Amino acid sequence: ETNPRVPVIWLHGLECTCCSESFIRSAHPLAKDVVLSMISLDYDDTLMAAAGHQAEAILQETREKYKGKYILAVEGNPPLNEGGMFCIDGGRPFVEKLKTMAADAMAVIAWGSCASWGCVQAAKPNPTHAVPIDKVITDKPIIKVPGCPPIAEVMTGVITFINTFGRLPTLDRQGRPQMFYSQRIHDKCYRRPHFDAGQFVEEWDDEFARKGFCLYKMGCKGPTTYNACSTVRWNDGVSFPIQSGHGCIGCSEPDFWDNGPFYAR
Ligand code: SF4
Ligand code: SF4
Ligand code: F3S
């Protein structure tokens, strides 16, 4: 209770803002408790009241005051083509803002598949040359929290860990927190007994779909997707894509956007 709250600067590049949409729905802990009690969210283009020059001033003030002590959270990614002109933020290419703010950060969090892997805006032929943030930030620890979007409680869980233990979580070889990304959807999927028994949905809305059989033959990517959806689930643990009747599309995996089709047929 006596520790100062960790300053966080949250930037937005090329993205859809649904990582933020996910974050604000966290139930354990509540997003409001994270923002008001656990961290000091000093700058966030979408959640802050300030705008324009006032917001830019806060950004610079935080950077100078907490040099080497703040966490840079990044949602979206920088397009590099034509000098970065496809994403202008505060009157300059986002890639410049990203590099400047990363230079004085303690560590960087890459929210979602955009910041971690590139995502749909990097889909072939990638006309804007959108790249994951680790292509332009090479000298800071980067925690990748992939998913399109990531699960709310995974996002706040990463922040809670840093806040509680004062260190970064253990990462896997691809830079993801092991505590949330060490298992495949398939490993803990409640439809797994049907997979093991060879019971599969063959057509959308067939009798086997109504019985809740395995969605592997409908293109489910659960066997190759590392994420916590089948354990943590979504909307305060209520459900996840497979429980809603659709296979996993592997939204937390690199290149999922080009590795279609999303449907088996
Ligand atoms: Fe949106 Fe997905 Fe990118 Fe998050 S990772 S900003 S949900 S496109
Ligand atoms: Fe595995 Fe997908 Fe079948 Fe679940 S629905 S058991 S994740 S293939
Ligand atoms: Fe994404 Fe698959 Fe989970 S599509 S939301 S990783 S079940």
Side-chain angles (χ1 to χ4, degrees):
E1 285 181 358
T2 53
N3 282 348
R5 291 183 288 155
V6 181
V8 175
I9 292 172
W10 188 318
L11 300 182
H12 298 256
L14 273 192
E15 47 106 356
C16 81
T17 312
C18 279
C19 287
S20 290
E21 290 284 348
S22 180
F23 175 81
I24 60 176
R25 284 162 180 76
S26 175
H28 304 287
L30 285 169
K32 79 168 176 61
D33 290 336
V34 174
V35 171
L36 299 178
S37 306
M38 290 166 57
I39 61 171
S40 177
L41 186 58
D42 290 355
Y43 179 96
D44 183 335
D45 313 32
T46 58
L47 293 181
M48 68 198 299
H53 293 297
Q54 194 185 22
E56 288 299 308
I58 294 167
L59 188 63
Q60 294 316 322
E61 187 185 313
T62 306
R63 182 180 153 220
E64 284 159 22
K65 194 169 166 189
Y66 298 105
K67 195 167 183 168
K69 294 182 180 159
Y70 63 84
I71 289 175
L72 183 68
V74 185
E75 182 174 347
N77 59 34
L80 304 184
N81 230 356
E82 299 194 22
M85 298 301 284
F86 292 100
C87 185
I88 299 296
D89 183 339
R92 57 184 171 156
F94 175 67
V95 65
E96 287 180 19
K97 185 172 184 174
L98 178 62
K99 284 180 178 171
T100 304
M101 297 314 298
D104 291 327
M106 170 180 72
V108 181
I109 298 178
W111 289 140
S113 293
C114 287
S116 299
W117 314 130
C119 210
V120 287
Q121 60 273 44
K124 291 172 186 160
N126 191 359
T128 67
H129 193 191
V131 295
I133 63 168
D134 63 1
K135 294 289 185 217
V136 295
I137 305 170
T138 53
D139 59 351
K140 296 284 172 180
I142 298 180
I143 307 164
K144 293 182 177 176
V145 188
C148 190
I151 300 168
E153 286 76 17
V154 168
M155 298 176 81
T156 54
V158 168
I159 290 175
T160 302
F161 183 93
I162 296 171
N163 199 50
T164 305
F165 297 106
R167 62 181 169 87
L168 305 184
T170 306
L171 307 179
D172 67 12
R173 280 184 300 169
Q174 298 201 60
R176 304 169 295 194
Q178 278 181 355
M179 67 181 117
F180 295 119
Y181 293 92
S182 62
Q183 289 187 312
R184 304 171 303 165
I185 304 289
H186 189 63
D187 294 328
K188 291 287 167 65
C189 178
Y190 76 103
R191 296 193 190 217
R192 179 65 183 267
H194 293 299
F195 177 92
D196 293 340
Q199 297 172 326
F200 300 102
V201 176
E202 304 282 347
E203 298 273 353
W204 292 121
D205 209 26
D206 67 6
E207 146 192 23
F208 306 130
R210 286 190 284 278
K211 284 181 174 171
F213 282 7
C214 172
L215 293 158
Y216 183 70
K217 288 188 178 178
M218 303 307 291
C220 180
K221 299 274 177 62
T224 53
T225 301
Y226 288 81
N227 203 344
C229 304
S230 52
T231 49
V232 177
R233 306 199 183 190
W234 288 78
N235 301 322
D236 197 8
V238 169
S239 185
F240 70 115
I242 291 167
Q243 197 171 339
S244 303
H246 193 286
C248 169
I249 64 169
C251 77
S252 55
E253 289 297 311
D255 295 329
F256 83 89
W257 51 92
D258 280 332
N259 283 341
F262 292 167
Y263 294 92
R265 61 183 91 170

